[in-house]
Every structure is written in C-alpha cells, then in structure tokens.
C-alpha cells in the first residue's frame, strides 16, 4: 500500500531563513515556493534522493503549523507516505477502525491529494498519505 517516503514535513518559523540553512549547510536546492491557503501554510520542497523535505511556515496564527510550533517548537511535524490509490487506502484504514483526521482526500502542495492519519493511531507520529498523479 505504501510505495516510499514521499517527504518529511518540518515546521519552521521563517521559511526563507530555514531554506538558507538547508541550502548553505547541506548544499541542497529547493524547487520553488507555494502557498496552500487551505492549510494556512507557505511550503518549500527540497528534493533529497527519491524523497523530499517539506518546509512549512504558517501564514496564520491559528494554523496547524503555528499551533505545532507553539506547543513543540520547530521540528519534524509529519512523515508523508506515497500511495498510489489514496481512496482505497483510506477505505482499508476505515475498515480497520484506524482513527483518521481526514476521511476524504484533500488538496495538498504540488497538486497532490493528501489525507492525515491521527497521531493517536500511530505512536504519536502524524502520518500523511500522499497520492501524486
Ligand atoms: Zn506534507
């Protein structure tokens, strides 16, 4: 059901400063910025091998990323697994009574279709399912 780790999401206070750190210290290059209004975030993706790092800065004080930073400080916020049929995976999880944040896919950065599994169901780790076309 899972093909690979699509990306690791990191909550940051300042996207441009964090990008500079990843680019200067690790020599990585981002592939563009995007605002996802639905999720109240500005996002930058940094390819690393076959996966990516997703840096997330909140655009609103009441956004999920702002709340995460308030509670935990900056750091890894979620891990995203690539799936090829997100509806099917969600149906399977529902059948197993796994607690979900999203019962239906929503639109994520880069035109992906995404859904989150509740961290209470996965040892405290927020897991994103991510289908790309
Ligand atoms: Zn993500």
């Amino acid at each position: 059901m899972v093909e690979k780790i699509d990306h690791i999401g990191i909550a940051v206070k300042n996207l441009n400063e964090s990008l500079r750190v990843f680019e200067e210290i690790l020599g990585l290059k981002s592939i563009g910025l995007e605002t996802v209004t639905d999720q109240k975030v500005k996002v930058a993706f940094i390819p690393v091998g076959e996966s990516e790092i997703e840096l997330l800065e909140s655009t609103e004080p009441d956004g999920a990323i702002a709340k995460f930073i308030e509670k935990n400080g900056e750091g890894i916020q979620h891990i995203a697994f690539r799936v090829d049929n997100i509806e099917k995976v969600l149906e399977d999880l529902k059948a197993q009574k796994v607690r979900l944040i999203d019962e239906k896919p929503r639109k994520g950065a880069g035109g992906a279709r995404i859904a989150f599994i509740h961290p209470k169901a996965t040892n405290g780790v927020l897991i994103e399912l991510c289908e790309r076309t």
Side-chain angles (χ1 to χ4, degrees):
M1 112 178 182
V2 170
E3 296 174 353
K4 65 173 189 172
I5 292 178
D6 186 87
H7 63 270
I8 296 172
I10 300 178
V12 302
K13 289 181 184 160
N14 184 313
L15 192 59
N16 289 324
E17 274 178 29
S18 302
L19 264 178
R20 219 170 29 100
V21 169
F22 277 86
E23 293 184 346
E24 285 178 9
I25 295 181
L26 296 171
L28 298 167
K29 270 266 167 270
S30 72
I31 49 169
L33 296 177
E34 187 182 338
T35 299
V36 185
T37 331
D38 267 16
Q39 289 170 52
K40 303 177 181 173
V41 285
K42 256 194 327 192
V43 177
F45 280 97
I46 305 170
V48 185
E50 64 168 18
S51 302
E52 294 179 348
I53 299 291
E54 177 186 44
L55 299 177
L56 301 136
E57 176 191 318
S58 191
T59 55
E60 307 283 341
D62 66 337
I65 293 300
K67 285 185 195 154
F68 176 89
I69 291 176
E70 206 177 283
K71 200 173 157 199
N72 308 287
E74 294 180 294
I76 293 178
Q77 195 253 352
H78 67 272
I79 296 180
F81 291 115
R82 174 84 64 90
V83 297
D84 74 345
N85 184 341
I86 197 166
E87 267 95 5
K88 167 95 172 64
V89 174
L90 286 171
E91 283 311 313
D92 288 352
L93 292 173
K94 272 186 250 176
Q96 296 174 70
K97 308 227 182 302
V98 174
R99 189 164 164 195
L100 302 172
I101 292 175
D102 301 304
E103 303 249 317
K104 290 198 168 88
R106 52 178 151 137
K107 195 177 163 294
R113 299 170 71 227
I114 65 169
F116 286 96
I117 301 175
H118 199 285
K120 286 233 157 70
T122 50
N123 301 87
V125 179
L126 178 60
I127 290 179
E128 174 186 329
L129 304 168
C130 176
E131 178 191 300
R132 296 185 189 274
T133 44

